[in-house]
Amino acid sequence: MTFAHAPTVLILGGSPAGLTTAYRLASKGYRVTVTDLASSKEPPEEKADTLSFSLLGCHQRSQALFRDSGLVAPSTGLAESSLEFLLPNGRLARFPKSRFPSPLHQLLTIGRFTGLSWKSRWKLLSWLEQLWEGSQQLPAGLEHRTAQDWMESVHGDSIVSETIWDPLALWLTGNALKHLSADAFVASLTPIFLSEAAANRVYYPRSSWEDFFTTPMMARITRAGGTILPDLESRKFEYQHDRIVAVGFADGSRLSADWYVSSIPPQRLTPLLPEQWLTRYAYFQQITELTTLPWTAIEVPVPNAATTARTILHGAGPAPVMIWRPLPTDVGSSLTLFIPGKREQDDINRMVATTLRSLNLPTPTTGTRLDHPQGRTYRALALFPGTKTKRPIQRSPIANLCLAGAWTDTGWPANFESAVVSGERCAQLIAESGRLDGLHSEC
């Protein structure tokens, strides 16, 4: 597509969703400017899009973006991880893999998973068979029940819920089973466990998320003709009727565009909106009702070498999600613990020691590299019953404003795939909008 006058797009925020939108539109010839990267310099607890434990084989839009942009390379690409469960008796149970089509794939994975008893596996497979055959259906109203309530009504085994289902829910959604809506739990489980064999592959970036995605994606946006203005922090939308005409920034400057995309967290978006929009539109009112859950991530260097990456879920310990991976230098390994809640240093030290003992690893001692590991706080979108209808679609009621973010309505939990899907939908909405007033395009 070529333009006589290329449309301009102003994107607020350098989240994965915003950078996805910017890359897709810049590649189509739009004049894209990304600002408000001040949000990426804020304390980590303000980063609503950053709690991504892993990338999965079922995250097809993310993988397509990596391929199209050339992000995945041997030195900075993805490494595959096993998925394991640390059971209360200290035994590690690895979730099996297969290369067979469904439903044989489920039989050879769930059927061989020793984290569940034979009775539990048989009961689960029998229930899935009834769903496939149509003799059993998911009940209505799952969005208004907790996942724990629903799972116990189906299987009635609280031990399995605590050991398997709860850490799975925390890993996939950032929400505990007792708070998560049953609908969100089903939506998170289905793509990874009830589709093709490749869907339940687990990957992690060989480098940090910043080095793997953010920095190279900004470079690609610049090469495609986009502009990155990292030091501008948005303060208000300037508007006429139901249309944004400019954005004012903290340094007193202002920028105008044909389209505006907000990819900043919802708690930073609502102060930019005019009061009459918040009171007039339920779309914006519901955004104010979204809440987030704090998580603490702690990276601990471990002297034990790890030859492959391991994702370990532990329902009985303080860290329900752990990622153990080899270091690029092949000397030792790194264990990242993800713990629900915002934690003080003494609490972190105690939880790290407890977790390392559960894995039979050396515990921190004064003066060693393991002493006083620092925690970083992140936030996950709370997916309580009733939250589904509050997540906004990407097209807002304002004529030239789209919302991009993992927290928007994508059908996914607020993970990296959700961010990419949201960003691509914004890019598609703008690309399909046709002509704006005073804009003429030639295709």
mmCIF file of all heavy atoms in Angstrom, residues 277-307:
data_model
loop_
_atom_site.group_PDB
_atom_site.id
_atom_site.type_symbol
_atom_site.label_atom_id
_atom_site.label_comp_id
_atom_site.label_asym_id
_atom_site.label_seq_id
_atom_site.Cartn_x
_atom_site.Cartn_y
_atom_site.Cartn_z
ATOM 1 N N TRP A 277 -15.671 11.873 29.099
ATOM 2 C CA TRP A 277 -15.579 10.562 28.461
ATOM 3 C C TRP A 277 -15.717 9.452 29.489
ATOM 4 O O TRP A 277 -16.333 8.422 29.233
ATOM 5 C CB TRP A 277 -14.254 10.416 27.718
ATOM 6 C CG TRP A 277 -14.149 11.278 26.492
ATOM 7 C CD1 TRP A 277 -15.100 12.142 26.013
ATOM 8 C CD2 TRP A 277 -13.035 11.364 25.614
ATOM 9 N NE1 TRP A 277 -14.641 12.773 24.881
ATOM 10 C CE2 TRP A 277 -13.371 12.308 24.604
ATOM 11 C CE3 TRP A 277 -11.799 10.761 25.565
ATOM 12 C CZ2 TRP A 277 -12.498 12.639 23.567
ATOM 13 C CZ3 TRP A 277 -10.920 11.094 24.533
ATOM 14 C CH2 TRP A 277 -11.268 12.021 23.543
ATOM 15 N N LEU A 278 -15.119 9.663 30.655
ATOM 16 C CA LEU A 278 -15.206 8.650 31.711
ATOM 17 C C LEU A 278 -16.634 8.471 32.201
ATOM 18 O O LEU A 278 -17.053 7.358 32.544
ATOM 19 C CB LEU A 278 -14.302 9.041 32.884
ATOM 20 C CG LEU A 278 -12.790 8.926 32.648
ATOM 21 C CD1 LEU A 278 -12.028 9.561 33.798
ATOM 22 C CD2 LEU A 278 -12.376 7.469 32.474
ATOM 23 N N THR A 279 -17.393 9.561 32.270
ATOM 24 C CA THR A 279 -18.773 9.473 32.757
ATOM 25 C C THR A 279 -19.752 9.069 31.670
ATOM 26 O O THR A 279 -20.788 8.466 31.950
ATOM 27 C CB THR A 279 -19.199 10.815 33.357
ATOM 28 O OG1 THR A 279 -19.051 11.854 32.369
ATOM 29 C CG2 THR A 279 -18.349 11.159 34.570
ATOM 30 N N ARG A 280 -19.410 9.376 30.420
ATOM 31 C CA ARG A 280 -20.350 9.120 29.314
ATOM 32 C C ARG A 280 -20.271 7.703 28.783
ATOM 33 O O ARG A 280 -21.287 7.112 28.409
ATOM 34 C CB ARG A 280 -20.092 10.116 28.187
ATOM 35 C CG ARG A 280 -20.985 9.922 26.967
ATOM 36 C CD ARG A 280 -20.668 10.951 25.911
ATOM 37 N NE ARG A 280 -21.457 10.745 24.693
ATOM 38 C CZ ARG A 280 -21.322 11.447 23.583
ATOM 39 N NH1 ARG A 280 -20.436 12.435 23.526
ATOM 40 N NH2 ARG A 280 -22.063 11.186 22.511
ATOM 41 N N TYR A 281 -19.067 7.151 28.727
ATOM 42 C CA TYR A 281 -18.865 5.872 28.053
ATOM 43 C C TYR A 281 -18.593 4.755 29.061
ATOM 44 O O TYR A 281 -17.620 4.821 29.826
ATOM 45 C CB TYR A 281 -17.699 5.945 27.067
ATOM 46 C CG TYR A 281 -17.927 6.909 25.925
ATOM 47 C CD1 TYR A 281 -17.236 8.112 25.857
ATOM 48 C CD2 TYR A 281 -18.839 6.611 24.917
ATOM 49 C CE1 TYR A 281 -17.425 8.997 24.813
ATOM 50 C CE2 TYR A 281 -19.045 7.491 23.864
ATOM 51 C CZ TYR A 281 -18.343 8.683 23.824
ATOM 52 O OH TYR A 281 -18.553 9.559 22.791
ATOM 53 N N ALA A 282 -19.425 3.715 29.044
ATOM 54 C CA ALA A 282 -19.188 2.549 29.893
ATOM 55 C C ALA A 282 -17.858 1.893 29.551
ATOM 56 O O ALA A 282 -17.206 1.290 30.412
ATOM 57 C CB ALA A 282 -20.329 1.545 29.737
ATOM 58 N N TYR A 283 -17.448 2.014 28.288
ATOM 59 C CA TYR A 283 -16.161 1.472 27.826
ATOM 60 C C TYR A 283 -15.029 1.943 28.725
ATOM 61 O O TYR A 283 -14.195 1.143 29.171
ATOM 62 C CB TYR A 283 -15.936 1.933 26.385
ATOM 63 C CG TYR A 283 -14.637 1.511 25.745
ATOM 64 C CD1 TYR A 283 -14.567 0.349 24.978
ATOM 65 C CD2 TYR A 283 -13.482 2.283 25.861
ATOM 66 C CE1 TYR A 283 -13.380 -0.027 24.361
ATOM 67 C CE2 TYR A 283 -12.296 1.914 25.259
ATOM 68 C CZ TYR A 283 -12.256 0.754 24.506
ATOM 69 O OH TYR A 283 -11.076 0.385 23.904
ATOM 70 N N PHE A 284 -14.971 3.243 29.015
ATOM 71 C CA PHE A 284 -13.906 3.790 29.852
ATOM 72 C C PHE A 284 -14.173 3.563 31.329
ATOM 73 O O PHE A 284 -13.247 3.378 32.108
ATOM 74 C CB PHE A 284 -13.729 5.275 29.567
ATOM 75 C CG PHE A 284 -13.217 5.584 28.183
ATOM 76 C CD1 PHE A 284 -13.931 6.394 27.323
ATOM 77 C CD2 PHE A 284 -12.026 5.040 27.738
ATOM 78 C CE1 PHE A 284 -13.469 6.671 26.049
ATOM 79 C CE2 PHE A 284 -11.544 5.303 26.459
ATOM 80 C CZ PHE A 284 -12.268 6.129 25.610
ATOM 81 N N GLN A 285 -15.436 3.557 31.738
ATOM 82 C CA GLN A 285 -15.763 3.308 33.138
ATOM 83 C C GLN A 285 -15.291 1.927 33.568
ATOM 84 O O GLN A 285 -14.773 1.738 34.667
ATOM 85 C CB GLN A 285 -17.275 3.437 33.350
ATOM 86 C CG GLN A 285 -17.826 4.839 33.177
ATOM 87 C CD GLN A 285 -19.338 4.871 33.228
ATOM 88 O OE1 GLN A 285 -19.970 3.928 33.711
ATOM 89 N NE2 GLN A 285 -19.933 5.927 32.712
ATOM 90 N N GLN A 286 -15.475 0.939 32.679
ATOM 91 C CA GLN A 286 -15.099 -0.429 33.034
ATOM 92 C C GLN A 286 -13.593 -0.594 33.170
ATOM 93 O O GLN A 286 -13.120 -1.433 33.946
ATOM 94 C CB GLN A 286 -15.662 -1.392 31.995
ATOM 95 C CG GLN A 286 -17.179 -1.494 32.050
ATOM 96 C CD GLN A 286 -17.763 -2.288 30.900
ATOM 97 O OE1 GLN A 286 -17.068 -2.612 29.935
ATOM 98 N NE2 GLN A 286 -19.042 -2.601 30.986
ATOM 99 N N ILE A 287 -12.823 0.208 32.432
ATOM 100 C CA ILE A 287 -11.369 0.131 32.546
ATOM 101 C C ILE A 287 -10.928 0.474 33.957
ATOM 102 O O ILE A 287 -9.991 -0.132 34.503
ATOM 103 C CB ILE A 287 -10.704 1.067 31.516
ATOM 104 C CG1 ILE A 287 -10.943 0.533 30.099
ATOM 105 C CG2 ILE A 287 -9.206 1.195 31.777
ATOM 106 C CD1 ILE A 287 -10.424 1.440 29.013
ATOM 107 N N THR A 288 -11.615 1.432 34.586
ATOM 108 C CA THR A 288 -11.247 1.834 35.950
ATOM 109 C C THR A 288 -11.500 0.726 36.962
ATOM 110 O O THR A 288 -10.969 0.775 38.073
ATOM 111 C CB THR A 288 -12.025 3.096 36.374
ATOM 112 O OG1 THR A 288 -13.427 2.792 36.448
ATOM 113 C CG2 THR A 288 -11.815 4.233 35.377
ATOM 114 N N GLU A 289 -12.311 -0.281 36.581
ATOM 115 C CA GLU A 289 -12.626 -1.372 37.494
ATOM 116 C C GLU A 289 -11.647 -2.535 37.390
ATOM 117 O O GLU A 289 -11.700 -3.469 38.195
ATOM 118 C CB GLU A 289 -14.049 -1.877 37.222
ATOM 119 C CG GLU A 289 -15.123 -0.802 37.442
ATOM 120 C CD GLU A 289 -16.502 -1.283 37.039
ATOM 121 O OE1 GLU A 289 -16.691 -2.508 36.895
ATOM 122 O OE2 GLU A 289 -17.396 -0.445 36.858
ATOM 123 N N LEU A 290 -10.746 -2.504 36.408
ATOM 124 C CA LEU A 290 -9.748 -3.562 36.284
ATOM 125 C C LEU A 290 -8.714 -3.418 37.399
ATOM 126 O O LEU A 290 -8.296 -2.323 37.744
ATOM 127 C CB LEU A 290 -9.055 -3.492 34.923
ATOM 128 C CG LEU A 290 -9.930 -3.752 33.691
ATOM 129 C CD1 LEU A 290 -9.127 -3.519 32.416
ATOM 130 C CD2 LEU A 290 -10.497 -5.168 33.708
ATOM 131 N N THR A 291 -8.297 -4.537 37.948
ATOM 132 C CA THR A 291 -7.297 -4.528 39.008
ATOM 133 C C THR A 291 -6.134 -5.447 38.640
ATOM 134 O O THR A 291 -6.244 -6.288 37.732
ATOM 135 C CB THR A 291 -7.893 -4.992 40.352
ATOM 136 O OG1 THR A 291 -8.450 -6.316 40.186
ATOM 137 C CG2 THR A 291 -8.998 -4.044 40.807
ATOM 138 N N THR A 292 -5.026 -5.278 39.332
ATOM 139 C CA THR A 292 -3.848 -6.103 39.060
ATOM 140 C C THR A 292 -3.376 -6.775 40.343
ATOM 141 O O THR A 292 -3.716 -6.363 41.452
ATOM 142 C CB THR A 292 -2.705 -5.252 38.476
ATOM 143 O OG1 THR A 292 -2.404 -4.175 39.381
ATOM 144 C CG2 THR A 292 -3.079 -4.696 37.115
ATOM 145 N N LEU A 293 -2.588 -7.823 40.169
ATOM 146 C CA LEU A 293 -2.055 -8.603 41.283
ATOM 147 C C LEU A 293 -0.535 -8.526 41.267
ATOM 148 O O LEU A 293 0.088 -8.779 40.223
ATOM 149 C CB LEU A 293 -2.492 -10.073 41.162
ATOM 150 C CG LEU A 293 -4.000 -10.320 41.083
ATOM 151 C CD1 LEU A 293 -4.264 -11.777 40.716
ATOM 152 C CD2 LEU A 293 -4.667 -9.972 42.395
ATOM 153 N N PRO A 294 0.100 -8.178 42.398
ATOM 154 C CA PRO A 294 1.565 -8.084 42.411
ATOM 155 C C PRO A 294 2.227 -9.459 42.461
ATOM 156 O O PRO A 294 1.728 -10.392 43.087
ATOM 157 C CB PRO A 294 1.848 -7.284 43.688
ATOM 158 C CG PRO A 294 0.688 -7.596 44.584
ATOM 159 C CD PRO A 294 -0.500 -7.800 43.685
ATOM 160 N N TRP A 295 3.359 -9.567 41.793
ATOM 161 C CA TRP A 295 4.226 -10.734 41.843
ATOM 162 C C TRP A 295 5.654 -10.252 42.091
ATOM 163 O O TRP A 295 6.042 -9.181 41.621
ATOM 164 C CB TRP A 295 4.197 -11.509 40.528
ATOM 165 C CG TRP A 295 3.034 -12.437 40.365
ATOM 166 C CD1 TRP A 295 1.739 -12.094 40.091
ATOM 167 C CD2 TRP A 295 3.066 -13.859 40.445
ATOM 168 N NE1 TRP A 295 0.963 -13.220 39.999
ATOM 169 C CE2 TRP A 295 1.747 -14.313 40.208
ATOM 170 C CE3 TRP A 295 4.067 -14.795 40.686
ATOM 171 C CZ2 TRP A 295 1.420 -15.665 40.213
ATOM 172 C CZ3 TRP A 295 3.742 -16.142 40.689
ATOM 173 C CH2 TRP A 295 2.432 -16.565 40.455
ATOM 174 N N THR A 296 6.426 -11.050 42.776
ATOM 175 C CA THR A 296 7.840 -10.750 42.986
ATOM 176 C C THR A 296 8.675 -11.779 42.238
ATOM 177 O O THR A 296 8.483 -12.990 42.422
ATOM 178 C CB THR A 296 8.202 -10.777 44.476
ATOM 179 O OG1 THR A 296 7.425 -9.794 45.159
ATOM 180 C CG2 THR A 296 9.680 -10.461 44.680
ATOM 181 N N ALA A 297 9.554 -11.302 41.372
ATOM 182 C CA ALA A 297 10.475 -12.177 40.636
ATOM 183 C C ALA A 297 11.864 -12.041 41.235
ATOM 184 O O ALA A 297 12.359 -10.928 41.435
ATOM 185 C CB ALA A 297 10.489 -11.806 39.168
ATOM 186 N N ILE A 298 12.491 -13.170 41.531
ATOM 187 C CA ILE A 298 13.814 -13.193 42.162
ATOM 188 C C ILE A 298 14.728 -14.082 41.334
ATOM 189 O O ILE A 298 14.445 -15.273 41.152
ATOM 190 C CB ILE A 298 13.738 -13.732 43.600
ATOM 191 C CG1 ILE A 298 12.657 -13.001 44.399
ATOM 192 C CG2 ILE A 298 15.078 -13.627 44.290
ATOM 193 C CD1 ILE A 298 12.111 -13.798 45.539
ATOM 194 N N GLU A 299 15.790 -13.521 40.820
ATOM 195 C CA GLU A 299 16.747 -14.319 40.047
ATOM 196 C C GLU A 299 17.939 -14.662 40.928
ATOM 197 O O GLU A 299 18.587 -13.778 41.491
ATOM 198 C CB GLU A 299 17.213 -13.558 38.803
ATOM 199 C CG GLU A 299 18.074 -14.414 37.889
ATOM 200 C CD GLU A 299 18.306 -13.774 36.537
ATOM 201 O OE1 GLU A 299 17.807 -12.662 36.309
ATOM 202 O OE2 GLU A 299 18.996 -14.399 35.708
ATOM 203 N N VAL A 300 18.187 -15.957 41.059
ATOM 204 C CA VAL A 300 19.236 -16.448 41.953
ATOM 205 C C VAL A 300 20.262 -17.221 41.136
ATOM 206 O O VAL A 300 19.912 -18.186 40.457
ATOM 207 C CB VAL A 300 18.636 -17.376 43.039
ATOM 208 C CG1 VAL A 300 19.730 -17.838 43.992
ATOM 209 C CG2 VAL A 300 17.520 -16.676 43.793
ATOM 210 N N PRO A 301 21.535 -16.830 41.156
ATOM 211 C CA PRO A 301 22.564 -17.638 40.498
ATOM 212 C C PRO A 301 22.795 -18.927 41.284
ATOM 213 O O PRO A 301 22.856 -18.918 42.516
ATOM 214 C CB PRO A 301 23.799 -16.737 40.519
ATOM 215 C CG PRO A 301 23.556 -15.793 41.645
ATOM 216 C CD PRO A 301 22.079 -15.614 41.764
ATOM 217 N N VAL A 302 22.889 -20.029 40.569
ATOM 218 C CA VAL A 302 23.054 -21.346 41.198
ATOM 219 C C VAL A 302 24.326 -21.990 40.650
ATOM 220 O O VAL A 302 24.522 -22.020 39.433
ATOM 221 C CB VAL A 302 21.831 -22.248 40.898
ATOM 222 C CG1 VAL A 302 22.008 -23.622 41.521
ATOM 223 C CG2 VAL A 302 20.554 -21.587 41.416
ATOM 224 N N PRO A 303 25.195 -22.473 41.514
ATOM 225 C CA PRO A 303 26.450 -23.055 41.020
ATOM 226 C C PRO A 303 26.247 -24.328 40.205
ATOM 227 O O PRO A 303 27.057 -24.656 39.348
ATOM 228 C CB PRO A 303 27.243 -23.330 42.299
ATOM 229 C CG PRO A 303 26.214 -23.399 43.393
ATOM 230 C CD PRO A 303 25.133 -22.467 42.993
ATOM 231 N N ASN A 304 25.151 -25.043 40.467
ATOM 232 C CA ASN A 304 24.908 -26.272 39.715
ATOM 233 C C ASN A 304 24.643 -25.960 38.247
ATOM 234 O O ASN A 304 23.834 -25.104 37.923
ATOM 235 C CB ASN A 304 23.701 -27.019 40.295
ATOM 236 C CG ASN A 304 23.903 -27.406 41.736
ATOM 237 O OD1 ASN A 304 24.261 -26.576 42.553
ATOM 238 N ND2 ASN A 304 23.667 -28.661 42.057
ATOM 239 N N ALA A 305 25.312 -26.654 37.353
ATOM 240 C CA ALA A 305 25.101 -26.439 35.932
ATOM 241 C C ALA A 305 23.762 -27.017 35.498
ATOM 242 O O ALA A 305 23.322 -28.051 36.001
ATOM 243 C CB ALA A 305 26.234 -27.079 35.131
ATOM 244 N N ALA A 306 23.105 -26.329 34.569
ATOM 245 C CA ALA A 306 21.858 -26.820 33.977
ATOM 246 C C ALA A 306 22.082 -26.946 32.486
ATOM 247 O O ALA A 306 22.439 -25.977 31.815
ATOM 248 C CB ALA A 306 20.711 -25.868 34.280
ATOM 249 N N THR A 307 21.904 -28.138 31.963
ATOM 250 C CA THR A 307 22.154 -28.346 30.537
ATOM 251 C C THR A 307 20.976 -27.895 29.686
ATOM 252 O O THR A 307 21.151 -27.501 28.538
ATOM 253 C CB THR A 307 22.441 -29.835 30.266
ATOM 254 O OG1 THR A 307 21.337 -30.621 30.766
ATOM 255 C CG2 THR A 307 23.721 -30.264 30.963
#
